[in-house]
Amino acid sequence: MTEPIDPSEKIRVLITDDHPIMRRGLRAAISQEADMELVGEGADGAEAIALFRRLRPTVALLDLQMPHVDGLEAIAAIRGEFPTAILIVLTSYPGDARVMRALTLGATSYLLKSATLEEIIKAIRASVAGRHVVASEVAHEIARHAGSDNLTSRETSVLRLAAAGQSNKAIAEALFVSEDTVKSRMRSIMAKLGALDRTHAVMIAVQRGFLDS
């Protein structure tokens, strides 16, 4: 449970995004808010973790796709050390599987970069007040796939190698399983994703966030 925030204190915001233009826009928006102050900026997940430890911000905005250490790893590490951390994902990727991983790891809210700066500012205040904010497009994706079977870690391993262009034989050798096992897992993958073939399965898996693009 998030600890109550003293309303007399400013909301101390940490931004982590590898795009300077995005950071600049957020910095400008936050500077206009009397109840907020920007306390730090980072460009990858490793910086996010280090800055959170040092600065102890009220809330951190995190992209997911970042070099070195991605946003999901950063969320897991920060929440592992600071269980009440308020972490807002701000990303371009709405895939339901990716969203659920972020929320399960401890993200407080999930926004898309298509959101207006006003919407982001409102989400910061809402998250600090203890409310969860999920972009409408993201909520739609979650609802659309509700009840569908998730891919297992073994199926994801097969699909990741298929995405790299590996044949069934090469996948079997890499995973130390039989070629028949690979074929069986691929059939299961296509059934779960509603895919027409393995190429279609890879495309769907990337869109939904089972695989990084």
Side-chain angles (χ1 to χ4, degrees):
M1 184 174 177
T2 302
E3 295 179 2
I5 304 297
D6 185 342
S8 67
E9 294 183 359
K10 283 195 174 186
I11 298 171
R12 304 172 69 254
V13 184
L14 169 66
I15 298 169
T16 311
D17 194 298
D18 60 333
H19 293 96
I21 294 176
M22 190 70 196
R23 295 200 305 271
R24 189 179 308 138
L26 291 169
R27 184 192 314 137
I30 290 166
S31 70
Q32 299 299 311
E33 304 303 319
D35 62 338
M36 296 183 189
E37 63 176 329
L38 181 65
V39 295
E41 295 182 35
D44 63 49
E47 289 186 356
I49 297 166
L51 287 168
F52 200 100
R53 284 176 183 147
R54 181 163 62 85
L55 301 172
R56 305 293 177 88
T58 313
V59 60
L61 298 176
L62 295 164
D63 192 5
L64 288 188
Q65 295 289 95
M66 295 187 290
H68 309 306
V69 175
D70 67 22
L72 291 173
E73 292 176 272
I75 291 168
I78 292 171
R79 289 286 289 196
E81 262 187 79
F82 307 97
T84 61
I86 301 172
L87 307 176
I88 300 176
V89 171
L90 183 58
T91 185
S92 303
Y93 304 94
D96 68 296
R98 186 181 288 106
V99 176
M100 292 311 298
R101 283 207 303 278
L103 296 177
T104 299
L105 287 171
T108 307
S109 298
Y110 199 107
L111 304 177
L112 298 181
K113 289 184 177 180
S114 56
T116 65
L117 290 172
E118 182 181 2
E119 288 170 336
I120 294 169
I121 293 297
K122 286 181 178 178
I124 291 173
R125 291 196 180 101
S127 296
V128 170
R131 299 192 297 275
H132 297 281
V133 181
V134 178
S136 57
E137 304 97 317
V138 171
H140 173 74
E141 282 296 301
I142 293 173
R144 189 159 71 93
H145 297 290
S148 60
D149 291 331
N150 285 328
L151 299 183
T152 67
S153 59
R154 291 178 177 179
E155 288 168 345
T156 302
S157 297
V158 167
L159 200 54
R160 185 169 287 112
L161 291 171
Q166 299 293 316
S167 66
N168 286 345
K169 182 179 179 181
I171 294 171
E173 291 174 352
L175 299 179
F176 303 102
V177 297
S178 70
E179 204 168 336
D180 283 342
T181 296
V182 172
K183 291 177 181 177
S184 174
R185 289 178 186 170
M186 189 59 72
R187 284 194 297 271
S188 175
I189 290 166
M190 289 191 289
K192 287 181 178 181
L193 298 181
L196 302 174
D197 53 37
R198 59 195 283 160
T199 301
H200 190 209
V202 168
M203 182 184 73
I204 294 171
V206 169
Q207 289 174 342
R208 291 186 56 188
F210 288 111
L211 298 179
D212 293 328
S213 57

